[in-house]
Amino acid sequence: MSEPLLEARSLVKHYGSVEALRGASFQVAAGEVVSLIGDNGAGKSTFIKCLSGAEQPDSGEILFEGKQIHLDSPTAARSLGIETVYQDLAVAPDLDPAANLYLGREIKRKGLLGALGMLDKKEMRRKASEEFSRLGVTLQSVDVPIAALSGGQRQSVAVARSVVWASKVVFMDEPTAALGVVQRERVLDVIRKVRDQGIGVVLISHNMPEVLSVSDRVEVLRLGTRVARFKASEATLEDLVGAMTGALVQEDVA
Amino acid sequence: MSEPLLEARSLVKHYGSVEALRGASFQVAAGEVVSLIGDNGAGKSTFIKCLSGAEQPDSGEILFEGKQIHLDSPTAARSLGIETVYQDLAVAPDLDPAANLYLGREIKRKGLLGALGMLDKKEMRRKASEEFSRLGVTLQSVDVPIAALSGGQRQSVAVARSVVWASKVVFMDEPTAALGVVQRERVLDVIRKVRDQGIGVVLISHNMPEVLSVSDRVEVLRLGTRVARFKASEATLEDLVGAMTGALVQEDVA
Amino acid sequence: GGGQVGQSGGSGSSNADNKSLALIPGVSAEPFYISMQCGAEAEAKAKGYTLKTQAPQKFAPADQTPIVTGILANKPAAVLIAPTDDKALAGPMKQLKDASIKVIEVDTSLQDTSIAESSISSNNEQGGQLAAQTLAKLVGDKKGSVLVLNTTAGTSTTDAREKGFKEEIAKYPNIKYVGQQYTDNDAAQSAQKVTATLSSTPDLIGIFATNLNTGEGAATGLRTAGKTGQVNLVGFDASPKEVSDLKDGSFQALIAQDPATIGKDGVDQAIAALTGGSVTRNISTDLVSITKDNMDAQSKYFYKSSC
Amino acid sequence: MSTVTEKAPKQEEKRPLLKRVAGANSLWIGLVLLVLIAAFGVIDPTHVLTIFNLQTVLIQTSVLLVLSVGMTFVIITSGIDLSVGTVLVFSGVTSALTMNAMSGGDSTNAGWGVVIVGGIVAVASGAAWGLLNGWLIAKAKIPPLIVTLGSFGAALGAAELLTGGSDVRSVPNTLAKSLGSGTSFGGIPNMVLFAIVVTAIGAWLLATTRFGRYTYAVGSNEVAAQRTGISVTRHLVLVYVLAGALAGLAGFMSMAYFTTTTLTSHGTDNLNAIAGTVLGGTSVFGGVGSVIGTVIGVFIPAVLNQGFTIIGVNQFWQPIAVAIVLVAAVWFDQNRRKARNLR
Amino acid sequence: MSTVTEKAPKQEEKRPLLKRVAGANSLWIGLVLLVLIAAFGVIDPTHVLTIFNLQTVLIQTSVLLVLSVGMTFVIITSGIDLSVGTVLVFSGVTSALTMNAMSGGDSTNAGWGVVIVGGIVAVASGAAWGLLNGWLIAKAKIPPLIVTLGSFGAALGAAELLTGGSDVRSVPNTLAKSLGSGTSFGGIPNMVLFAIVVTAIGAWLLATTRFGRYTYAVGSNEVAAQRTGISVTRHLVLVYVLAGALAGLAGFMSMAYFTTTTLTSHGTDNLNAIAGTVLGGTSVFGGVGSVIGTVIGVFIPAVLNQGFTIIGVNQFWQPIAVAIVLVAAVWFDQNRRKARNLR
Ligand SMILES: Nc1ncnc2c1ncn2[C@@H]1O[C@H](COP(=O)(O)OP(=O)(O)OP(=O)(O)O)[C@@H](O)[C@H]1O
Ligand SMILES: Nc1ncnc2c1ncn2[C@@H]1O[C@H](COP(=O)(O)OP(=O)(O)OP(=O)(O)O)[C@@H](O)[C@H]1O
Ligand SMILES: [Mg+2]
Ligand SMILES: [Mg+2]
């Protein structure tokens, strides 16, 4: 494993009496795909929220390119080039797919009107269409609100948004969960392409064949702590399941 | 295939200018698991909503035990013994898991207080715990609102609710999408058990190995119409993917 | 077991050297009551008493009752009050009396005459009559319609003004009374009622606005319609704003009460009641009609917006 | 790489009672109320902390409290009811007119029979408006804000039509002396007892019955409630009927207290009831709330107003001070809850 | 079992313009407005369909329209602003007092310089209240209903404190004659021109700019907006500042129109603005709405009131009739939209 791009050390996060993270650690390097796996409720989403600024850990430290950072908002993470696909889809249901793709990064018109804040909707729609077809997202109509899309279509829009904007790290919390066979393959391809651009990709998935096929490394979370790390090429499905269920624990990883 | 328990003929459903269903047909018999597969946006969720009373088709007919029925509300379907796990999880996020499990079917206290509508919360909580452990749902705390659960935990609650109450047909729209490996196996076991009780199970899933392992039959939807039907034991992964993507069309099924 | 509220409350605590008085006007922030307060404060000071004023936000019993009970806790020697309802305030004011606090009614009064020591008021019905007479004089023998702008249905004082106006205006055969419009005491609604009435009743020659807000709205409505001066506008009360409007011709006449005297007499009666002097049960104060012509002579009736 | 350590999941434990109480939405706002009372007590102990004051604050709040209990149910369904104040007036009017008609025009000396019929008429009138509101909201799917803004105007208009625009002022003495100003159990005003009973039933209904649970479910996720077979339409109608009936009851109480129908007095009752409810921790987005919270929320402004009047705060400062306390109370409550860090 | 049929997905086509217009939230409610006007015109053609009536309805509505434009932004963020009416009053008061102070106590004959300063003070005062509201809502996370209910009382209290409780009565004649009652372009009242300009800018801002898009995004899903890097706090504060500034402007217009500060007249402006906005299709749950819809929504009650007064409907019937039309208009609008069956 090369020099880590983003690293978390002993993160702890409580929700009231629930301990979602109990000292979890994690690394991802540039140009590698790391899968984060674990049982339901293991704390994966919480972990990713802490690393992308959506939640603040109670204790522990986060290092980015070797320097300790403090992510007090998703904006802070985004400005470092970290993008995230959240499991509870973070889309604005009343806006259309193009508006969602460009949310927070709108294209303005040229000239005075643009300086006044006026948007170039046509350009955004055009570019959005391009991105969607590149990623194989098929929508029957682009000017309907996201709320009217099918589950998989909504998820595709969220994935598209993260990969379009990321420059350093992409977190994807179950990006393929609702996707069809074809769309899933496209997303996995995209993940590989993004990795090849030197971006670090963190994938959360419950689909073990998918995890083994796309990842370089796998880290396993159980009850809020890291219990195992594998090279994907050396791990078997049984190893992964054993680590997730607690049948197998590596002593030195937490 | 035995006498169909529930049958849909040429359902059509428009959302404005979007044609979600273009004359889709479908059958499920008692004691069989039928998988409904198709690309994102193929109309699977819409189809299931029409068959469970959550939406009304624009045209087409629905037959239950041979008689034509009109499902004008989910209540109508439920009173026939038809239960559904919706893709956009139909849980009340401010209520706790036990309350959600018993929603619409609360247990009242004995005696006068019960007649006045007073609930037996303890009993419901106890029974809910039983059901959850039977289905392998692990929750760190039972008296928090559903909104505080992890994605998989929420989905497990929704699945538990449907199988506890169904007596004739269970529809499950991607019930395992967010589930961990262990929970997924448990749900598949439950599906088999339910089937063995003589209940018809309709499963929507994008996970083809899962579909092939649990189903008796597979029906394929594409662009709002049925394009293929398979016996699971005779179909291969390639057949399914071919049918979904339009590479393969059976002429006589629509 | 049954009892009545207040039995445990204040029993006779008034003593001779309690020199504090309280004034509870009908509503806060109205020049009429402010002028009354000024008159009362000046008189109280002159007689060596202190006077505290607490006014409700709205002219409504539900707003005024808590103030009465709140004041009650302070046990002043006497309370000057303008009850906002002639029945609803009977209970709370009875509690004042039961606590040996002398009650003087100013401006308005209760149906139950056994509670107050004295009632000082100008007669609102008479004010309405005076408005009708003034308006009739202003229009001369022109034929046409007149409108009354009332505040909110159920407001006793302005209802009485309308009643007096309606009875009196019937005596003038050239004037047709087209009825009253409620405005919810909102200037914008008042302006709207005026413009709409101008549309439906082109022969409108006069308007009687029963209080300040309706008057302001009516003046605005007429200004919008370009009818200022053509339609005679008679207002009630003589707040500084209305006086300046009278001066510039937005109003043609005002019916003024004499709040300062009401306040002064109220304090005098309260002191008389406390010190065993002679108390007059009912005092009626003057109402005057002010027009542009006589306004300098009548300037003592102008209301104040602060003391 | 392989020692198995047993870390049993802490499943399904219940939070201890103390924690749950501290977590209750209403605890901290209740503390705010106590602090306020204490503050006024310190500033002016002789005049503030009297039985009489307690009595009057309780009485003056009892009508609003009854309105707010209904409002709590409505807001938990993520609805709103702007019409409660004028429905109160309407119900008072129909009730008073009925009692008068039964007594040959003037009910002042009417007996208990007439009073009871009057009470029933008041509640029924309120419930009828509630039924109309509920039907339009649940069945015709018109936003509650529009529907109840309409009935806010219409109920007052109807009341004024019935009375010709002036208050009905003959109210049976039996009623005024018993409910309006009577006391029981050694000094507890009957108005207050009435309100306590209504509130207790409301709290019970919301917290422990199926009706209450459906109320939360509908407000939390209407689609989910519908899909689990709850008749959302029926339930919403019932909730508005409840709010209307309580407004009718409040109208009856108000009439007993003021001995007149107070047409002009209730224009801001709706906002006051909403403020009390929200102050007490009920979310306008639905799904969350409690009656006990509402009780506290209703008393905070009431205590403030009474306290300010007694200690003689300038009347123009009063709304400013009330605003500051309102905002500060909620802010304090939020912060405490955030500090607990549960969700 | 194998002929391949090509069914190309109809991807990313745009709905034709006509359909999109028919789908616009405001079309049907606009039809309702036209039908209303036509109905009054038929009932009493000579008195209703006059230029004078058109002018006066427009003037009388212009102040409320400016308030409602701000309210539209606020409601789209799923907030609410109950304080607009009293902030209007407060701004009028500070503006009038400033103008008086600049003119040595009586600004009646003051010139344009003073008037312009007065206008700036009014807008700034309104914006200051908006800033306070926005800060408490966005930063301290206090529910908008509580915050603005507080400032509803506090702004009026502060205005009364400044004036000692009675209206400021000297307003520059220049202002009253120009903005208040003047006309331009052959008869278009200046008040109306002012409102049109404000509304047009508001509509442009909401529909085409980034500010508008963020407004929708925040109201549609605040968490999502936050996560995509929109500074939700900052945006919410700006939206309330906008609403406050527009209320300040409305206060200036109102003062020019009435030539006084009308302290006690604006108690229900908030509900009127909310009603107009919601009637125009803006959802109180946020994320959906338009300024053009609000314009129509504001005019419906205005036309009704004017029409009813002209054709002489009994005044107690008027609120009832308004309620019926309000509810019917929304119901009709909903049904038409449902018939289109889009979502
Ligand atoms: N906002 C919250 N409030 C309270 N508890 C929470 C909250 N969010 C998460 N939790 C709890 O923290 C634990 C970890 O949740 P998390 O969502 O991180 O799990 P996960 O590993 O992503 O699971 P899944 O695979 O099901 O998505 C769970 O027990 C969950 O109930
Ligand atoms: N409420 C709605 N309004 C408008 N269009 C809708 C609505 N619901 C679904 N659609 C459209 O209907 C089509 C079918 O949607 P549906 O949700 O049934 O797909 P699906 O097969 O379940 O897809 P997925 O596998 O992604 O869940 C999609 O194009 C979708 O955009
Ligand atoms: Mg998760
Ligand atoms: Mg689907």
Side-chain angles (χ1 to χ4, degrees):
Chain A
M1 183 175 32
S2 55
E3 177 64 16
L5 178 62
L6 186 71
E7 185 174 357
R9 290 191 188 150
S10 310
L11 297 196
V12 173
K13 175 78 186 172
H14 288 116
Y15 291 106
S17 58
V18 176
E19 283 188 277
L21 295 180
R22 312 181 184 190
S25 301
F26 179 81
Q27 285 104 11
V28 60
E32 99 176 319
V33 177
V34 184
S35 283
L36 185 62
I37 63 172
D39 211 1
N40 288 135
K44 305 179 297 299
S45 296
T46 309
F47 203 22
I48 279 209
K49 283 182 189 158
C50 289
L51 291 178
S52 62
E55 298 267 7
Q56 276 66 52
D58 298 333
S59 71
E61 45 189 44
I62 301 172
L63 291 89
F64 183 72
E65 296 181 334
K67 283 184 291 293
Q68 190 170 341
I69 53 168
H70 184 68
L71 296 170
D72 50 5
S73 76
T75 323
R78 286 171 67 116
S79 65
L80 296 173
I82 302 173
E83 290 290 327
T84 311
V85 182
Y86 294 95
Q87 185 174 19
D88 39 351
L89 297 173
V91 292
D94 298 297
L95 299 182
D96 63 36
N100 265 291
L101 186 66
Y102 280 91
L103 201 57
R105 289 195 165 110
E106 286 77 9
I107 302 176
K108 290 196 193 158
R109 296 211 178 184
K110 306 235 154 48
L112 178 71
L113 286 173
L116 287 172
M118 200 162 168
L119 302 176
D120 193 342
K121 293 191 184 175
K122 229 169 97 188
E123 177 69 6
M124 284 194 277
R125 208 169 273 149
R126 199 184 58 73
K127 286 204 180 173
S129 282
E130 272 177 32
E131 296 292 349
F132 289 143
S133 49
R134 188 168 72 87
L135 297 171
V137 184
T138 45
L139 306 171
Q140 290 203 23
S141 171
V142 278
D143 62 349
V144 297
I146 287 263
L149 299 183
S150 83
Q153 290 167 334
R154 248 175 281 175
Q155 191 155 41
S156 304
V157 172
V159 170
R161 187 171 63 192
S162 72
V163 299
V164 168
W165 300 116
S167 64
K168 295 285 188 177
V169 181
V170 189
F171 290 108
M172 296 190 178
D173 196 350
E174 309 194 18
T176 59
L179 296 191
V181 178
V182 182
Q183 286 81 357
R184 176 188 309 245
E185 278 311 319
R186 283 248 176 72
V187 168
L188 295 182
D189 282 350
V190 167
I191 288 177
R192 291 191 192 97
K193 261 187 231 151
V194 166
R195 187 237 346 247
D196 296 343
Q197 288 163 24
I199 294 174
V201 180
V202 182
L203 174 70
I204 293 184
S205 174
H206 289 298
N207 188 325
M208 293 306 126
E210 177 180 304
V211 163
L212 288 175
S213 90
V214 80
S215 321
D216 300 307
R217 292 193 305 107
V218 180
E219 306 215 344
V220 185
L221 217 57
R222 184 170 141 72
L223 296 174
T225 39
R226 180 167 63 186
V227 291
R229 312 162 58 162
F230 300 97
K231 277 227 165 66
S233 51
E234 297 168 5
T236 64
L237 213 147
E238 285 67 38
D239 290 341
L240 299 187
V241 174
M244 284 194 288
T245 54
L248 174 92
V249 175
Q250 297 173 331
E251 278 286 275
D252 56 336
V253 290
Chain B
M1 184 174 34
S2 53
E3 179 63 15
L5 178 61
L6 185 71
E7 184 173 359
R9 290 190 189 151
S10 312
L11 296 196
V12 173
K13 175 79 186 172
H14 288 117
Y15 291 107
S17 59
V18 177
E19 284 186 278
L21 294 180
R22 313 181 185 190
S25 302
F26 179 81
Q27 286 104 11
V28 59
E32 100 178 319
V33 177
V34 184
S35 283
L36 185 64
I37 64 171
D39 211 0
N40 289 134
K44 304 180 296 298
S45 296
T46 308
F47 203 22
I48 278 209
K49 282 182 189 158
C50 290
L51 291 179
S52 62
E55 298 266 7
Q56 275 66 51
D58 298 334
S59 70
E61 46 190 43
I62 301 172
L63 289 90
F64 183 73
E65 295 181 334
K67 283 182 292 294
Q68 190 169 343
I69 53 167
H70 185 69
L71 296 170
D72 50 6
S73 77
T75 322
R78 286 171 67 116
S79 66
L80 295 174
I82 302 172
E83 290 289 330
T84 311
V85 183
Y86 294 94
Q87 186 174 17
D88 38 350
L89 296 173
V91 291
D94 299 297
L95 297 183
D96 64 35
N100 265 291
L101 186 66
Y102 280 91
L103 201 56
R105 289 195 164 110
E106 287 76 8
I107 302 176
K108 291 195 192 159
R109 296 212 178 184
K110 305 234 156 48
L112 178 71
L113 287 172
L116 286 172
M118 200 162 169
L119 302 177
D120 192 342
K121 294 190 183 175
K122 228 170 97 190
E123 176 68 7
M124 285 193 277
R125 207 169 272 149
R126 199 183 58 74
K127 285 205 180 173
S129 282
E130 270 177 34
E131 295 292 348
F132 289 143
S133 49
R134 187 167 73 89
L135 297 170
V137 184
T138 45
L139 307 170
Q140 290 202 22
S141 171
V142 278
D143 63 349
V144 297
I146 287 262
L149 298 184
S150 83
Q153 290 166 334
R154 250 176 278 175
Q155 191 154 42
S156 305
V157 172
V159 170
R161 188 171 61 191
S162 72
V163 298
V164 167
W165 300 117
S167 64
K168 295 284 187 176
V169 181
V170 188
F171 290 107
M172 296 191 177
D173 197 350
E174 310 194 18
T176 59
L179 296 191
V181 178
V182 182
Q183 286 79 359
R184 177 187 309 246
E185 279 311 320
R186 282 249 175 72
V187 168
L188 297 183
D189 281 349
V190 167
I191 289 178
R192 290 190 193 97
K193 259 187 232 151
V194 166
R195 187 234 348 244
D196 295 344
Q197 288 162 26
I199 295 174
V201 180
V202 181
L203 174 70
I204 295 184
S205 173
H206 290 298
N207 189 324
M208 293 306 125
E210 176 179 305
V211 163
L212 288 175
S213 88
V214 79
S215 319
D216 300 306
R217 294 192 305 109
V218 180
E219 306 215 344
V220 184
L221 217 57
R222 184 170 141 71
L223 297 174
T225 38
R226 180 167 63 185
V227 291
R229 312 163 59 162
F230 300 97
K231 277 228 163 67
S233 51
E234 297 167 6
T236 64
L237 213 146
E238 286 67 39
D239 290 340
L240 299 187
V241 174
M244 284 194 287
T245 54
L248 172 91
V249 174
Q250 297 173 332
E251 278 287 275
D252 56 337
V253 290
Chain C
Q4 292 288 301
V5 171
Q7 279 172 346
S8 60
S11 46
S13 71
S14 113
N15 54 47
D17 32 78
N18 184 346
K19 298 241 179 208
S20 71
L21 306 177
L23 170 64
I24 307 176
V27 64
S28 69
E30 241 189 43
F32 173 82
Y33 287 116
I34 292 170
S35 304
M36 181 190 289
Q37 183 185 345
C38 295
E41 270 171 5
E43 183 70 5
K45 201 169 168 207
K47 295 276 170 71
Y49 283 73
T50 58
L51 181 115
K52 260 208 309 198
T53 305
Q54 288 278 353
Q57 286 289 316
K58 279 187 303 149
F59 191 90
D63 287 55
Q64 197 178 30
T65 304
I67 296 195
V68 176
T69 57
I71 289 270
L72 184 50
N74 284 326
K75 304 248 159 57
V79 168
L80 281 63
I81 180 171
T84 49
D85 188 285
D86 63 2
K87 271 198 85 182
L89 265 294
M93 285 167 63
K94 178 95 184 336
Q95 290 169 10
L96 289 175
K97 186 180 157 76
D98 290 346
S100 306
I101 297 169
K102 302 293 180 198
V103 177
I104 311 292
E105 291 166 342
V106 286
D107 183 37
T108 52
S109 55
L110 293 178
Q111 275 179 4
D112 181 348
T113 53
S114 70
I115 292 170
E117 306 286 328
S118 170
S119 306
I120 303 117
S121 68
S122 43
N123 185 330
N124 279 305
E125 218 173 302
Q126 209 179 318
Q129 289 167 4
L130 189 56
Q133 289 156 7
T134 309
L135 188 55
K137 207 155 87 199
L138 286 166
V139 301
D141 30 83
K142 259 193 290 178
K143 274 178 88 74
S145 304
V146 296
L147 167 75
V148 169
L149 292 172
N150 203 338
T151 56
T152 313
T155 308
S156 51
T157 47
T158 56
D159 281 352
R161 290 170 198 168
E162 191 270 339
K163 184 159 174 274
F165 182 89
K166 184 176 164 184
E167 283 164 11
E168 186 70 17
I169 206 74
K171 296 180 186 158
Y172 300 89
N174 60 324
I175 298 175
K176 178 165 163 256
Y177 178 43
V178 296
Q180 62 176 339
Q181 293 280 355
Y182 289 104
T183 64
D184 289 336
N185 202 22
D186 179 304
Q189 277 200 46
S190 177
Q192 184 260 317
K193 299 291 182 194
V194 168
T195 59
T197 308
L198 282 170
S199 288
S200 60
T201 319
D203 70 340
L204 192 72
I205 51 172
I207 296 173
F208 170 41
T210 56
N211 78 345
L212 173 69
N213 277 340
T214 53
E216 296 298 350
T220 305
L222 290 175
R223 196 164 48 240
T224 311
K227 297 269 190 183
T228 305
Q230 294 169 40
V231 176
N232 290 290
L233 176 58
V234 177
F236 208 92
D237 292 337
S239 73
K241 174 63 184 166
E242 285 172 299
V243 169
S244 72
D245 281 353
L246 180 66
K247 221 177 283 174
D248 74 16
S250 298
F251 283 85
Q252 277 63 49
L254 297 174
I255 306 302
Q257 313 180 60
D258 192 356
T261 305
I262 295 177
K264 174 175 171 296
D265 288 356
V267 170
D268 289 343
Q269 294 302 316
I271 294 172
L274 287 170
T275 56
S278 75
V279 178
T280 318
R281 184 60 189 82
N282 288 301
I283 301 179
S284 183
T285 55
D286 293 344
L287 274 160
V288 294
S289 154
I290 309 176
T291 58
K292 203 168 185 176
D293 302 332
N294 70 2
M295 67 187 296
D296 294 330
Q298 306 279 45
S299 64
K300 69 171 168 127
Y301 289 105
F302 295 172
Y303 300 179
K304 296 181 195 150
S305 51
S306 60
C307 301
Chain D
M1 179 189 175
S2 68
T3 323
V4 176
T5 326
E6 189 47 25
K7 292 186 187 170
K10 297 201 302 174
Q11 181 168 0
E12 311 200 351
E13 99 209 344
K14 257 185 91 146
R15 275 180 294 152
L17 184 69
L18 199 75
K19 270 209 170 166
R20 287 198 297 155
V21 168
N25 288 355
S26 34
L27 179 78
W28 296 104
I29 201 85
L31 270 184
V32 170
L33 180 60
L34 291 181
V35 166
L36 279 182
I37 295 174
F40 282 119
V42 168
I43 295 172
D44 189 349
T46 50
H47 296 136
V48 171
L49 301 174
T50 62
I51 302 248
F52 173 73
N53 240 329
L54 182 68
Q55 277 190 342
T56 50
V57 171
L58 287 174
I59 295 180
Q60 285 156 14
T61 315
S62 50
V63 171
L64 183 60
L65 184 57
V66 170
L67 288 182
S68 304
V69 169
M71 190 65 84
T72 305
F73 280 84
V74 169
I75 294 185
I76 290 178
T77 66
S78 82
I80 199 116
D81 191 347
L82 295 176
S83 72
V84 287
T86 58
V87 167
L88 179 161
V89 168
F90 178 87
S91 309
V93 165
T94 52
S95 167
L97 290 179
T98 310
M99 292 194 290
N100 278 349
M102 286 175 70
S103 326
D106 185 342
S107 63
T108 311
N109 299 312
W112 276 107
V114 172
V115 169
I116 289 170
V117 172
I120 294 170
V121 169
V123 173
S125 309
W129 279 103
L131 185 66
L132 182 65
N133 284 339
W135 189 84
L136 289 169
I137 291 165
K139 198 83 186 171
K141 306 259 183 252
I142 301 168
L145 200 82
I146 292 288
V147 170
T148 60
L149 192 67
S151 45
F152 169 69
L156 188 60
E160 289 171 343
L161 266 181
L162 288 175
T163 62
S166 49
D167 281 309
V168 183
R169 0 199 53 179
S170 43
V171 166
N173 273 332
T174 344
L175 176 60
K177 288 272 145 55
S178 59
L179 176 57
S181 58
T183 61
S184 303
F185 307 121
I188 306 177
N190 291 340
M191 290 277 285
V192 176
L193 283 177
F194 222 81
I196 291 176
V197 170
V198 169
T199 308
I201 294 177
W204 172 80
L205 195 65
L206 183 61
T208 72
T209 69
R210 190 161 75 173
F211 186 85
R213 175 148 295 174
Y214 285 8
T215 305
Y216 285 109
V218 168
S220 186
N221 184 343
E222 192 175 318
V223 175
Q226 180 86 53
R227 286 182 180 170
T228 53
I230 296 175
S231 168
V232 172
T233 311
R234 182 167 156 275
H235 191 76
L236 276 179
V237 171
L238 284 179
V239 165
Y240 283 91
V241 167
L242 176 69
L246 288 178
L249 189 64
F252 191 66
M253 291 168 66
S254 164
M255 187 174 56
Y257 180 54
F258 288 117
T259 69
T260 164
T261 49
T262 56
L263 281 180
T264 58
S265 277
H266 300 277
T268 54
D269 281 9
N270 49 9
L271 292 185
N272 292 338
I274 294 169
T277 306
V278 174
L279 195 53
T282 299
S283 159
V284 285
F285 294 105
V288 176
S290 71
V291 169
I292 177 77
T294 298
V295 173
I296 299 166
V298 164
F299 272 102
I300 287 181
V303 165
L304 280 180
N305 282 326
Q306 186 83 355
F308 284 145
T309 310
I310 294 176
I311 66 175
V313 171
N314 173 325
Q315 56 202 354
F316 300 140
W317 275 110
Q318 286 188 18
I320 303 179
V322 171
I324 293 172
V325 175
L326 271 193
V327 169
V330 176
W331 179 80
F332 174 77
D333 186 42
Q334 309 261 62
N335 266 30
R336 295 309 309 167
R337 278 198 258 168
K338 213 186 300 164
R340 286 188 298 108
N341 204 0
L342 191 90
R343 299 187 70 208
Chain E
M1 181 187 171
S2 69
T3 324
V4 176
T5 325
E6 189 49 25
K7 292 185 188 172
K10 299 199 303 174
Q11 182 167 0
E12 309 197 355
E13 99 210 344
K14 256 184 89 150
R15 274 179 295 151
L17 184 70
L18 198 75
K19 270 209 168 167
R20 287 200 296 155
V21 169
N25 287 354
S26 35
L27 179 79
W28 296 105
I29 201 86
L31 270 185
V32 170
L33 179 60
L34 292 181
V35 167
L36 278 182
I37 295 173
F40 281 120
V42 168
I43 294 172
D44 188 349
T46 50
H47 296 136
V48 171
L49 300 174
T50 62
I51 303 251
F52 169 72
N53 244 328
L54 180 68
Q55 275 191 346
T56 50
V57 171
L58 288 173
I59 295 180
Q60 286 157 12
T61 316
S62 50
V63 171
L64 183 61
L65 184 56
V66 170
L67 288 182
S68 304
V69 169
M71 189 66 82
T72 306
F73 281 84
V74 169
I75 294 185
I76 290 178
T77 66
S78 81
I80 198 114
D81 191 346
L82 295 177
S83 72
V84 288
T86 58
V87 166
L88 179 160
V89 168
F90 178 88
S91 309
V93 164
T94 51
S95 168
L97 290 178
T98 310
M99 292 194 290
N100 278 349
M102 286 173 71
S103 324
D106 185 343
S107 63
T108 313
N109 299 311
W112 276 106
V114 172
V115 170
I116 288 169
V117 172
I120 293 170
V121 169
V123 173
S125 310
W129 279 103
L131 185 65
L132 181 65
N133 284 339
W135 189 85
L136 289 170
I137 291 165
K139 199 84 187 169
K141 306 259 183 252
I142 301 168
L145 200 82
I146 293 288
V147 170
T148 60
L149 191 66
S151 45
F152 169 71
L156 187 60
E160 289 174 339
L161 267 182
L162 287 175
T163 61
S166 53
D167 285 307
V168 184
R169 62 183 189 284
S170 43
V171 166
N173 273 332
T174 344
L175 175 62
K177 291 271 146 55
S178 60
L179 175 59
S181 54
T183 61
S184 302
F185 307 120
I188 305 177
N190 291 340
M191 288 278 283
V192 177
L193 282 177
F194 222 81
I196 290 176
V197 170
V198 169
T199 308
I201 294 177
W204 173 80
L205 194 65
L206 183 62
T208 71
T209 69
R210 190 162 75 173
F211 185 84
R213 176 149 294 175
Y214 284 8
T215 305
Y216 286 109
V218 168
S220 187
N221 184 344
E222 191 174 319
V223 175
Q226 180 86 51
R227 285 181 181 170
T228 54
I230 296 174
S231 168
V232 172
T233 311
R234 182 167 157 273
H235 191 78
L236 276 180
V237 171
L238 285 179
V239 165
Y240 283 91
V241 167
L242 175 70
L246 287 178
L249 189 65
F252 192 65
M253 291 169 65
S254 165
M255 187 173 56
Y257 179 53
F258 289 113
T259 70
T260 169
T261 48
T262 54
L263 278 180
T264 53
S265 274
H266 299 274
T268 54
D269 281 10
N270 48 11
L271 291 185
N272 292 337
I274 294 169
T277 306
V278 174
L279 195 52
T282 299
S283 160
V284 283
F285 294 104
V288 176
S290 72
V291 169
I292 177 76
T294 297
V295 172
I296 298 166
V298 165
F299 272 102
I300 286 181
V303 165
L304 280 180
N305 283 326
Q306 188 84 354
F308 283 145
T309 316
I310 293 176
I311 66 174
V313 171
N314 173 326
Q315 54 207 342
F316 298 139
W317 275 110
Q318 286 187 21
I320 302 178
V322 170
I324 293 172
V325 175
L326 273 191
V327 168
V330 175
W331 179 80
F332 174 77
D333 187 40
Q334 308 262 61
N335 266 31
R336 296 307 310 166
R337 279 199 258 168
K338 213 186 300 163
R340 288 187 297 106
N341 204 0
L342 191 91
R343 301 187 69 208

